[in-house]
Every structure is written in C-alpha cells, then in structure tokens.
Amino acid sequence: MEIPGIILHSEFVSPAEEKELLAAVDERPWQTLAKRKVQHYGYEFLYKVRNVDLTKKLGELPTFVDHVVERMSALPEVANSTEKSLPFDQLTVNEYPRGVGLSPHIDTHSAFEGSILSLSLAGACVMEFRKYHKHSYDLHTSKANYDSRVHGTHIMGRGLDCEARQTIPDLHQTTYFSEQEMIEPPKVKVERRVLYLPQRSLLILSNEARYGWHHYIPHHKEDVVNGEKVPRSSRRVSFTFRKVRLGPCYCQFPHLCDSQAEIAEVPVSIINAWGSKDNDSTVLGREYTICSAVEDNAVHDKIHGVSLTVSEVKDATTCKVWIPATPEIEKMYVQEVYDAIAPHFSSTRFAKWPKVAQFLHSIAPGSIVVDAGCGNGKYLGLNPKCFFVGCDISAPLVAICAQRGHEVLIADALFLPYRTGVCDAAISIAVLHHLSSEQRRVRAIEELLRVVRHGGKVLITVWAVEQEDKSLLTKWTPLTGKYMEEWVGSSSHKAKGNLSENSLHMIQEGDTLEDKSADEEQEFVTIFSQKFDGQEDSRQMKEQQEYFVPWHLPYHRAEIGGASAAAVARGFARKDDKKGAVVYNRYYHVFVEGELERLISKCAGASVVDQFYDKSNWCVVIEKSCY
C-alpha cells in the first residue's frame, strides 16, 4: 500500500476460533452507542475525551482472548517493534451492523503506545487510509482565526509571559471573505489508499500508519473490490488490541500529536508559581520536585490522576513542561467558538451583575483581585480602590481587554500563571460550566484557591439547571447519556463541504456519518442535535445537564470572514438564513443545586461562607483557610 507500518495477516484465526470468540462476547453485556455496540476490557475508551482513565482499570483482558494475544505477541513485527507494544492491556470490541462504518480518525497518540492490532470477525469491509496535506489557507495562522499564538512563553498552547499581551494581533486586522469564498473555501489535498480487510484477518498499524494516517471505514452496505460489488454481512465484529501509554507521546508527527501540541518551554518561575522554590513542596496536595539540571529531569505530579511532567530543564531559568491536553469538546465548542465570536460576544457583555459588583466592592482597598476567565474584562477595575489582573483562554477576548488598558494574560483556568497566595481575592464568573469533566472543574477551583492568600475569598458563579426562563431549555441541544460517549454523531444539522485538515483532528473514534454512495467525494461532518420533543417530561429535562447552547453571529458583523467561513464549510457552524446569522454551539455543563458546594468539599482548605441563586446562576463565596 506504500504506507510504512501496515501489515495484514489473512486467516489469522480459524472459523472455529472465530465462532468461539463471537459466542464469548455475545454472552457478555454490550454498551449501546449511536449506531453500534461496544465492549471494553482492561480500560474503557472514553469517546468524549478520546482517551482512557488510568485510575479506573477494569481488570485484565478476558481469558477467552488469551490464545489470540499469545499468537499476536509472538509475531516478529510486534515482539521486535522499535516502540514497545506489549503487553496488550486494553481491548475494545465493536459490533457494526451492516451499513455502519467508522469515520476518519487517528487513535489518540497520548492514549496508546506501539502498534494497534485489529481482528475482523463475522464480516469483511474496505478500510480507507487518508493523509491530509497542508494548503495555502491555514486555519491556525489566518488573522480571522488566530489561535492565541502570541510571541512569548506558552503553556497549554496559550501565552503566559507578562509581555504577551503586547504582541496580540490587532483585533481589527481581519481577513475578509466574499460570500462565494464562504461557500467554497480552498480545498484540502487528500492522499488516499484503500485496503480490503477479509473476514478473520488481522490488521497491524504501526509507525507512520499508526500516527500519521487517518483510517476510515465507509458507511456502506456494500464495497467495491477489484471492480465488483461485495455486499457486507449483517454484522462485523472487530477486536482492537492496544497498550495504554503511561506518559506523553514523542512521535515524529507533532502536528497530529496531542501530547506534543501541549509541550512548551516555561520559565522555572512559572513552575515555582505552582509550588515553591524548594526542591520538595506541597501546595493543595500537589507535590513538585523542581529539577536543577538536565541529568535530573523527571518530575511527575499526580493531580487527581492527571500527570504533569517537567521533561527537561534547559538552564537555570527555563524548563520544558508537558501538561495533559484540553479535551477536544472544550477546544472546539468553547475555545474555538469564543475566538470566533469574541467582538460580537463582547458587545453584548456590558451589564454588571449586582451580586458580583457587591462582592468586589466588599474587598478591602489596596487588595489584588484575579479574574480567571475575564472575558471582555467587564469586571476588571470595577472597584477603583483595588488592583485587578485578568486572564482568559481566548486570545481575541484578551486582546479586547488589553485594548481597554487592563492587565491581562492568555492563560488556562486550570494552570493559572500566578504565584501561590499572590492575591487577596479572585472571581470566576461563568467559567466552570464550560469544563467537560468533574475532575477539571475541581482542578479549576483548586487553582483559584491556590492563588489567593489565607483568609482570601473567591466568588464562583455557574449556570443553573433551574433556569428562571424555562423556555430556554427547549432552545438548547441536550447531549443525552449515550451521546456523551460519542459527542459528534448523527444530526439534523448537516454541513456539506470539503473537510479541512484541522476538522479531521477533531473527529472522534466511532463517529457516525450518514451513509454515502461510493463515488461521492463530499462528506458530511455532523454535530448531534437531538431536541427534547413535546412529550418529554419535566423530570428528564431537569436531570439533563450537558448542552450545546447556540450563539447567533449576525451576517453583518465584521468578524464574519475567514473563521466563520471555514467553520461553516467543515460543519462546525451552520448558516441560518432566516435569522441572518452563523450559528455556533457552545458546550455547557449546567449545575444542579448543591453540586458546586459538593465540588468545593473536595478541595483542601476551602470553606463556603455564602451560597445563593441569582439570575439563573448558582453562586458560592469561598474562604481559603489554613490546612
């Protein structure tokens, strides 16, 4: 196939072994997803975050695959591979009904190491391999959609240097696109290879085939093999064997690698902001060992099961840090959306909430206040007797703050670039509900506590399930339980167009696309949008907490240009001609009563001093105590 790293073994198991394997999995419970069923062994593959949770091992692989594992492990290309593939400790079994395939994806680099082996049982299919080549229009570097790439120190892909705000591109330097260009953006060159996977065959993906090519099974009921139509069987069952990776990936494909996208050079002073300058320090239960030489370069810090690694200390002032990647759902449906709508969003955010204003005015004169997730900075400087600093993960919003003269940084709320205990108070207004897991919400609260002094106070507000205007819930897109496993799936909103290189990075393993004819080159990239119908009872609506909330960006806005054009083309946003707007979806986890307090109870040194409901938000004031 001219793709290094692909090996196919025909008839790897006998018909009798195939029958035994199928009988074994059919005796066990299946988990039902959108259009297929799965079983996980060893570790569950979490489709929402495209990874596994190392703290939640399900057990060893089932004994009914022992003979298969032994045979695979003895293969020279597996046993002698340059990257360790053994022992296999994760198995996903998928059952695909006829007509259901697999959307283009690369297995998450940081999740698994070594070769990936897939055994096809009960049926055959065609697998297509794709390599997406860069083109002249680059989503990441166009001024219409710059991804907060500032000239300074970066962490989590965002700038941390105090001078960074001076280098943010002028918000008004926008590349404009004609309506025709919005409809027909520049095409992406796609290199394709096709491989037929016979029944009972074993496919091995390693090296370039594993890390550099997307693999895809068309959603067809029949395949074309050597010019002849071959109907698919009523079901196809795949056994995919993988080895869980315990650290970051350092492959030769950094542009496709989620680990290397998060490697950055960071001043030791920033690391010391999370700990202290001593070799061993404990801050909010997080231990750091700051290295002083390249020879002593391994630092591992387990934060609720998440590993932070200082991989190299370059000199006395700079080290390299690897931090876990932001979940794709937040990258797409929070960060990328706010980058695209920033000016319009800012124009609607000017009113100050009385309760927030009351909190800020209660702070003693001369205090330092941090606004983590400051947006357009409407609360910065609200109390003229205090000193305010703000940060946000959206570069365009930070640019707006900087143009207004505020002290701001581009930073992630989970890794605040401030020294421990540096401020007297902090606020987090409408931020935590954009984080997609409880683990990340707790981490963000811990960071707020870390940066305030003992006795300092923190105000946190989040959207509530209990909305004052109940009709709003009917306008939001609920993400039901099974779709939280595959948060990109079948949809009523379809955007037909060429896939961009970047859009393919976001497609989840196991996505379901509409069935297309073999000769069609266009594809649908879809977003699940199942509305509660009129028969849905209020109890179910109340229990629902995961939503896509629409943002309508009017056609007349100046920012309708490159970013929105590309977003529409790849199905990330849609055009609503009736309302004259491009519609983006923002991810929200809305909170139930008492949930915020429960998360705070998990944080050491946090005491709730006030809690209240205000303007469809749950709000809590925390005081940092000694512990």
Side-chain angles (χ1 to χ4, degrees):
M1 287 189 64
E2 301 177 356
I3 301 178
I6 290 184
I7 297 176
L8 183 67
H9 292 274
S10 299
E11 294 294 331
F12 188 76
V13 295
S14 67
E17 289 174 317
E18 176 187 38
K19 185 176 180 180
E20 291 174 358
L21 290 169
L22 292 172
V25 294
D26 284 338
E27 290 176 353
R28 288 161 173 78
W30 291 91
Q31 178 185 355
T32 301
L33 300 181
K35 292 186 178 180
R36 61 190 177 89
K37 297 188 293 185
V38 300
Q39 294 180 16
H40 298 285
Y41 298 94
Y43 294 89
E44 180 180 5
F45 186 84
L46 304 171
Y47 297 102
K48 178 182 172 184
V49 295
R50 300 177 64 189
N51 217 314
V52 298
D53 186 343
L54 294 176
T55 67
K56 296 181 180 179
K57 187 171 183 178
L58 303 177
E60 303 302 321
L61 298 190
T63 56
F64 62 80
V65 298
D66 283 352
H67 64 292
V68 178
V69 170
E70 182 179 358
R71 194 178 307 163
M72 293 188 304
S73 301
L75 293 171
E77 58 268 31
V78 175
N80 304 322
S81 62
T82 55
E83 186 180 20
K84 187 177 180 181
S85 302
L86 300 174
F88 298 113
D89 55 10
Q90 198 277 333
L91 166 63
T92 296
V93 182
N94 289 277
E95 182 191 61
Y96 299 93
R98 187 184 183 196
V100 175
L102 191 64
S103 296
H105 74 280
I106 297 176
D107 286 54
T108 307
H109 288 202
S110 66
F112 308 107
E113 64 178 318
S115 302
I116 293 177
L117 287 74
S118 183
L119 181 65
S120 295
L121 302 180
C125 70
V126 162
M127 177 172 284
E128 183 177 304
F129 294 85
R130 298 178 175 183
K131 192 171 187 178
Y132 296 84
H133 295 275
K134 291 183 177 180
H135 49 90
S136 59
Y137 178 68
D138 190 336
L139 290 178
H140 284 304
T141 57
S142 73
K143 290 188 180 298
N145 189 40
Y146 52 87
D147 186 22
S148 62
R149 275 164 168 69
V150 295
H151 307 296
T153 302
H154 285 71
I155 195 165
M156 293 296 289
R158 307 290 168 174
L160 288 183
D161 196 314
C162 290
E163 299 301 319
R165 62 186 178 83
Q166 299 177 8
T167 63
I168 297 172
D170 185 346
L171 195 63
H172 299 292
Q173 293 181 1
T174 304
T175 301
Y176 295 95
F177 282 71
S178 67
E179 186 171 346
Q180 182 64 22
E181 288 174 309
M182 287 185 65
I183 298 172
E184 298 180 4
K187 295 182 178 180
V188 178
K189 181 180 178 182
V190 183
E191 187 177 352
R192 304 170 189 261
R193 299 287 187 275
V194 177
L195 178 65
Y196 182 64
L197 305 181
Q199 186 173 340
R200 295 185 293 278
S201 65
L202 178 71
L203 174 68
I204 303 177
L205 301 179
S206 60
N207 301 321
E208 183 177 338
R210 152 64 176 120
Y211 294 113
W213 288 71
H214 293 77
H215 55 277
Y216 162 55
I217 298 177
H219 302 264
H220 298 162
K221 293 184 177 179
E222 59 184 25
D223 294 306
V224 178
V225 181
N226 295 326
E228 296 184 3
K229 292 183 178 181
V230 179
R232 291 189 187 174
S233 59
S234 60
R235 71 188 297 217
R236 174 180 170 270
V237 179
S238 68
F239 285 59
T240 302
F241 297 85
R242 299 177 277 209
K243 175 176 171 54
V244 170
R245 188 186 294 276
L246 300 180
C249 174
Y250 297 107
C251 69
Q252 300 302 308
F253 303 88
H255 64 294
L256 297 171
C257 183
D258 61 308
S259 288
Q260 296 182 65
E262 308 303 338
I263 291 177
E265 293 186 359
V266 181
V268 169
S269 60
I270 294 298
I271 298 299
N272 287 330
W274 295 329
S276 74
K277 294 184 179 179
D278 299 329
N279 280 344
D280 294 297
S281 60
T282 302
V283 179
L284 291 179
R286 303 201 306 267
E287 239 176 58
Y288 298 88
T289 303
I290 304 304
C291 303
S292 57
V294 175
E295 290 75 21
D296 181 18
N297 62 8
V299 178
H300 296 282
D301 166 33
K302 291 294 181 180
I303 307 172
H304 292 286
V306 178
S307 176
L308 179 150
T309 303
V310 176
S311 59
E312 176 185 351
V313 177
K314 297 184 63 180
D315 50 45
T317 60
T318 307
C319 59
K320 286 187 177 180
V321 175
W322 178 85
I323 295 179
T326 302
E328 297 294 342
I329 192 168
E330 293 177 34
K331 286 183 180 179
M332 284 189 70
Y333 296 104
V334 181
Q335 297 177 18
E336 192 171 339
V337 171
Y338 281 105
D339 284 356
I341 68 174
H344 183 235
F345 175 81
S346 177
S347 69
T348 67
R349 293 302 185 268
F350 49 84
K352 280 76 172 177
W353 292 357
K355 291 288 188 179
V356 178
Q358 180 182 337
F359 173 81
L360 293 176
H361 282 299
S362 71
I363 299 171
S367 296
I368 298 175
V369 183
V370 166
D371 185 349
C374 61
N376 69 342
K378 71 177 183 179
Y379 291 113
L380 296 177
L382 183 64
N383 183 344
K385 297 180 181 180
C386 296
F387 299 95
F388 285 79
V389 291
C391 63
D392 201 280
I393 204 164
S394 171
L397 287 174
V398 170
I400 291 172
C401 294
Q403 290 169 4
R404 294 174 177 177
H406 297 305
E407 293 292 330
V408 287
L409 293 168
I410 302 170
D412 191 301
L414 278 69
F415 297 93
L416 296 176
Y418 307 117
R419 295 196 306 272
T420 297
V422 71
C423 63
D424 302 285
I427 60 174
S428 172
I429 310 301
V431 175
L432 262 62
H433 52 229
H434 286 311
L435 302 179
S436 58
S437 71
E438 179 170 306
Q439 177 188 67
R440 291 173 60 77
R441 295 168 205 134
V442 170
R443 174 62 189 272
I445 296 171
E446 288 180 334
E447 275 294 271
L448 292 166
L449 286 166
R450 181 184 65 78
V451 300
V452 300
R453 61 172 174 81
H454 293 302
K457 293 183 178 179
V458 177
L459 170 64
I460 301 174
T461 74
V462 294
W463 279 20
V465 169
E466 301 84 355
Q467 290 288 304
E468 294 175 354
D469 183 358
K470 302 297 184 183
S471 66
L472 283 177
L473 294 176
T474 64
K475 299 176 182 178
W476 299 349
T477 301
L479 300 177
T480 61
K482 67 179 181 179
Y483 282 96
M484 287 310 295
E485 294 297 323
E486 296 182 280
W487 54 269
V488 179
S490 58
S491 171
S492 61
H493 300 318
K494 302 180 177 63
K496 190 171 183 178
N498 296 299
L499 292 175
S500 74
E501 178 185 34
N502 296 304
S503 70
L504 267 297
H505 297 182
M506 308 303 183
I507 296 177
Q508 305 301 295
E509 175 181 310
D511 297 346
T512 55
L513 300 175
E514 296 298 316
D515 188 52
K516 309 294 290 179
S517 60
D519 60 344
E520 283 188 288
E521 294 183 359
Q522 303 287 351
E523 299 179 37
F524 288 105
V525 178
T526 61
I527 298 170
F528 173 68
S529 60
Q530 174 183 319
K531 298 286 186 181
F532 284 125
D533 60 32
Q535 304 300 317
E536 199 68 44
D537 61 35
S538 59
R539 180 189 59 80
Q540 183 172 350
M541 293 183 70
K542 186 175 181 179
E543 291 177 353
Q544 177 69 34
Q545 289 185 260
E546 313 288 337
Y547 287 95
F548 279 152
V549 178
W551 184 273
H552 293 79
L553 183 62
Y555 287 160
H556 68 268
R557 295 292 304 187
E559 57 268 36
I560 290 290
S564 293
V568 170
R570 58 193 255 233
F572 171 56
R574 61 186 176 86
K575 294 174 67 176
D576 187 335
D577 291 329
K578 290 184 177 179
K579 294 186 177 180
V582 172
V583 183
Y584 288 87
N585 280 315
R586 297 172 293 161
Y587 167 79
Y588 278 80
H589 168 88
V590 290
F591 282 63
V592 297
E593 183 176 5
E595 181 179 359
L596 188 53
E597 292 88 332
R598 180 178 61 80
L599 297 185
I600 293 168
S601 70
K602 296 186 176 186
C603 303
S607 300
V608 175
V609 297
D610 194 12
Q611 56 194 42
F612 52 92
Y613 176 87
D614 183 49
K615 297 185 181 298
S616 297
N617 283 253
W618 289 115
C619 312
V620 169
V621 177
I622 316 169
E623 182 175 319
K624 180 177 177 179
S625 57
C626 296
Y627 53 93

